[in-house]
Amino acid sequence: MLPAFLSPELGLIFWQLVIFLLVLFLLAKFAWKPILLALKEREDSIEGALRMADQAKIEMQQLKAGNEKLLTDARLERDRMMQEATQMANQFRETEKARATAEANIIIQQAREAIQQEKNAALAEVKNTAAKLSLDIAERILRRELTDPAAQTQLVDSYLKDVKLN
Amino acid sequence: MKRLLSILLCFVSLSVFANEPAGEGAKAEGFNPGEMILHHIGDSHEWHWLATDNGNFTTYLPIIAYRPGKGVSVFSSKHISNGESEGPAKEYDGLKLDHEHLVSTDGSKLYDFSITKNVAGLIGSAILMLVVFTAVASGYKKNHGRAPKGIQSFFEPIIVFIRDEVAKKNIGPKYERYMPYLLTVFFFIWFNNLLGLTPGAANLSGNIAVTMVLAVLTLIITLASSNKYYWAHIFATPGVPKPLLPIMIIVEVIGIFTKPFSLMIRLFANITAGHIVVLSFISLVFIFKSWAVAPVTLAFGLFINVLELLVAVLQAFIFTLLTSMYIGGAVEDHHDADLQMGYDDGSASTHVSH
């Protein structure tokens, strides 16, 4: 025979079974289910929030990288445009300079030619005038029979004074 | 946490002091520590709070007895209880108490369904659990989606621990349907272990009938959820030579029952032993009939009581852990995990399944 404390009593077994199962049922329904559900919900929401934060971070980085790229592109574009503009300006200046030089050369050439022409014309006129004058003088000398050499010289001088080379 | 600790310490010192007068009643006529201790850890038909020189403070509990042929008789145990006094056993309605054991006077068959001290304690702890955990559950309704508060934040880490470290790791992905049983059994054992340590309370979790019911429930759940691999492992243990199989089958079949049997004995023996040790230290005062041993009694009684607080939660944890291991062994899907019980990393496999 087992000592009293080692032999399970039927009454206690019965009550323990009934009450424990009742507690199990009631707790499962009114405590464990809502508690475990709430815990799961909260964990899910935390996990979701963390994932979203991560995603936002990645998106942010992507955005930042995109911005950076845009900025770099813009900078490069600006540099290229500036360079192009400078180049174009330089080219324009060069061509303008060349064109101006050429035009100036032409003008100078023309001027030179005009001067030459004028000079030639003037010389021709001088020559004509001189020839005409010489002929005139010679005619006048021949017309007046000059006796006096002094008077001749005087006459020549007066004629010459008259003529005035224009 | 500090407040909680001081409350616990209060209980500890209370149980040491409060148990002393209980023993003093028996001092008058040759103190018998063995009888006193067995009386304290055993069940009774009345709730004896304490005895003073002016009398006993006792709550008489209802007797419910069923006798085939005579039907059910219900009456207060006042009519048949002798209390602390000696003398011939009182009789009522053909029933009497023989060392707290209800028997009929004519020796006929009798089924005792009385609300004994342990049953009353059981009802009390059941109500306490319902109140506490519905309060915790209402906390989740009130603070929906927010951080836990008050009693809810005390129990949440424990519940999460049972779920993550005990159920998920040992049972695997199918852990969810076993959570109600595991949580209930854990908190039932823990609450009753602690209540059993309070002075004057019933020694419920140190009663073999209670631990037997819990162990049998674990066995039933294990067998009900077992799959073919579980039975294949028992009747065709892999890696065993054919001639040895008959022996192995016997061993494995016995193993089905020794597991819950060990659960039953472990919890019962641990709690009962703790009570016996505490009561033994208290008995020293009455054995030596001297106040000089009081410091020793107090120091050792306090030490054992604090130890028992640890044992209270430890035994609840071990019972729950082993239950989930047995269930895990029964529901395991793959066959190769012979040496390891359950899943090594249930959390990993649940993550995969998400």
Side-chain angles (χ1 to χ4, degrees), chain B residues 65-78:
Chain B
Y66 172 72
R67 279 167 294 180
K70 274 191 181 171
V72 183
S73 37
V74 180
F75 56 92
S76 166
S77 65
K78 192 165 60 186

Side-chain angles (χ1 to χ4, degrees), chain B residues 48-340:
Chain B
H48 183 242
W49 300 99
L50 61 119
T52 66
D53 289 343
N54 299 324
N56 294 310
F57 291 87
T58 309
T59 306
Y60 292 103
L61 300 162
I63 300 270
I64 304 168
Y66 172 72
R67 279 167 294 180
K70 274 191 181 171
V72 183
S73 37
V74 180
F75 56 92
S76 166
S77 65
K78 192 165 60 186
H79 299 298
I80 53 169
S81 173
N82 278 332
E84 296 291 306
S85 62
E86 299 293 317
K90 285 201 263 180
E91 288 177 23
Y92 186 88
D93 201 12
L95 296 166
K96 64 174 180 179
L97 281 176
D98 175 26
H99 288 97
E100 287 302 341
H101 197 69
L102 192 68
V103 291
S104 44
T105 44
D106 54 4
S108 61
K109 190 88 180 116
L110 158 77
Y111 300 102
D112 182 5
F113 291 105
S114 303
I115 306 297
T116 58
K117 186 180 177 183
N118 273 339
V119 178
L122 172 64
I123 294 168
S125 67
I127 292 168
L128 180 68
M129 277 181 78
L130 288 174
V131 168
V132 166
F133 289 107
T134 45
V136 173
S138 78
Y140 283 94
K141 220 169 277 170
K142 225 185 297 165
N143 309 325
H144 185 77
R146 275 177 290 159
K149 258 188 208 155
I151 193 169
Q152 184 195 0
S153 55
F154 177 77
F155 282 106
E156 183 178 311
I158 304 170
I159 294 170
V160 170
F161 175 79
I162 297 290
R163 187 193 63 183
D164 292 349
E165 301 300 318
V166 177
K168 262 189 202 171
K169 276 198 178 160
N170 292 301
I171 300 178
K174 293 176 197 152
Y175 76 95
E176 257 168 20
R177 51 196 290 212
Y178 303 103
M179 279 307 290
Y181 177 68
L182 293 176
L183 286 170
T184 310
V185 95
F186 175 80
F187 285 111
F188 181 84
I189 294 171
W190 190 25
F191 274 43
N192 280 301
N193 284 349
L194 289 179
L195 287 172
L197 285 175
T198 53
N203 174 28
L204 194 67
S205 50
N207 191 297
I208 199 156
V210 171
T211 61
M212 189 174 92
V213 169
L214 296 178
V216 168
L217 285 176
T218 291
L219 175 66
I220 291 171
I221 289 173
T222 307
L223 293 182
S225 51
S226 59
N227 57 17
K228 57 180 174 177
Y229 300 113
Y230 176 73
W231 295 107
H233 186 264
I234 286 167
F235 289 107
T237 315
V240 173
K242 275 252 156 63
L244 279 179
L245 263 183
I247 303 169
M248 280 313 291
I249 287 171
I250 294 168
V251 169
E252 290 283 345
V253 168
I254 292 172
I256 297 174
F257 298 100
T258 52
K259 283 170 184 171
F261 190 78
S262 72
L263 283 181
M264 170 178 90
I265 295 297
R266 183 183 298 108
L267 181 57
F268 156 74
N270 267 286
I271 304 307
T272 301
H275 284 230
I276 289 173
V277 173
V278 172
L279 289 166
S280 303
F281 280 121
I282 291 162
S283 300
L284 286 180
V285 174
F286 307 105
I287 291 166
F288 288 101
K289 292 192 172 147
S290 157
W291 283 106
V293 292
V296 180
T297 295
L298 201 64
F300 280 90
L302 182 73
F303 171 70
I304 296 296
N305 231 317
V306 173
L307 193 70
E308 283 304 298
L309 289 177
L310 177 71
V311 171
V313 69
L314 198 69
Q315 286 305 321
F317 168 67
I318 288 173
F319 197 102
T320 316
L321 181 75
L322 289 174
T323 294
S324 61
M325 274 184 175
Y326 299 155
I327 295 173
V331 299
E332 214 169 19
D333 267 337
H334 40 99
H335 197 203
D336 48 41
D338 293 319
L339 296 174
Q340 67 191 76

Side-chain angles (χ1 to χ4, degrees), chain A residues 5-6 8-16 19-20 23-24 26 30-32 35 38-43, chain B residues 38 101 111-113 119 122-123 126 137 140 144 146 156 163 176 184 187-188 207 212-214 217 268:
Chain A
F5 72 97
L6 268 179
E9 296 274 351
L10 176 74
L12 190 53
I13 291 175
F14 169 76
W15 288 114
Q16 163 69 14
I19 293 171
F20 183 82
V23 168
L24 175 60
L26 289 176
F30 297 112
W32 306 137
I35 288 172
L39 279 176
K40 201 174 179 133
E41 251 172 43
R42 196 168 64 202
E43 275 159 20
Chain B
L38 284 182
H101 197 69
Y111 300 102
D112 182 5
F113 291 105
V119 178
L122 172 64
I123 294 168
Y140 283 94
H144 185 77
R146 275 177 290 159
E156 183 178 311
R163 187 193 63 183
E176 257 168 20
T184 310
F187 285 111
F188 181 84
N207 191 297
M212 189 174 92
V213 169
L214 296 178
L217 285 176
F268 156 74

Side-chain angles (χ1 to χ4, degrees), chain A residues 40-157:
Chain A
K40 201 174 179 133
E41 251 172 43
R42 196 168 64 202
E43 275 159 20
D44 284 351
S45 87
I46 287 171
E47 206 174 314
L50 282 177
R51 203 177 300 134
M52 255 161 69
D54 269 353
Q55 212 167 349
K57 210 160 122 192
I58 290 168
E59 266 170 25
M60 194 79 168
Q61 268 170 353
Q62 278 172 348
L63 213 68
K64 216 168 141 191
N67 279 350
E68 210 112 293
K69 195 175 171 297
L70 223 64
L71 216 67
T72 324
D73 281 356
R75 206 173 285 139
L76 281 175
E77 180 75 11
R78 191 197 61 189
D79 283 355
R80 200 177 55 78
M81 271 163 74
M82 284 275 280
Q83 208 173 357
E84 235 165 58
T86 318
Q87 208 175 349
M88 252 161 74
N90 280 346
Q91 210 176 341
F92 183 72
R93 204 187 300 136
E94 286 300 314
T95 45
E96 279 305 292
K97 208 165 136 186
R99 205 162 61 86
T101 316
E103 215 158 291
N105 281 344
I106 290 167
I107 290 170
I108 289 169
Q109 190 62 38
Q110 278 173 350
R112 214 170 262 153
E113 274 168 18
I115 288 166
Q116 197 61 44
Q117 266 172 13
E118 290 294 320
K119 200 171 111 189
N120 287 348
L123 276 176
E125 201 164 320
V126 167
K127 268 182 198 158
N128 284 344
T129 315
K132 206 169 143 196
L133 213 60
S134 306
L135 282 174
D136 216 8
I137 293 168
E139 192 190 275
R140 284 187 192 192
I141 292 171
L142 289 173
R143 215 179 283 159
R144 287 168 63 172
E145 286 136 345
L146 292 171
T147 54
D148 171 15
Q152 280 175 2
T153 322
Q154 203 184 346
L155 191 70
V156 171
D157 277 346

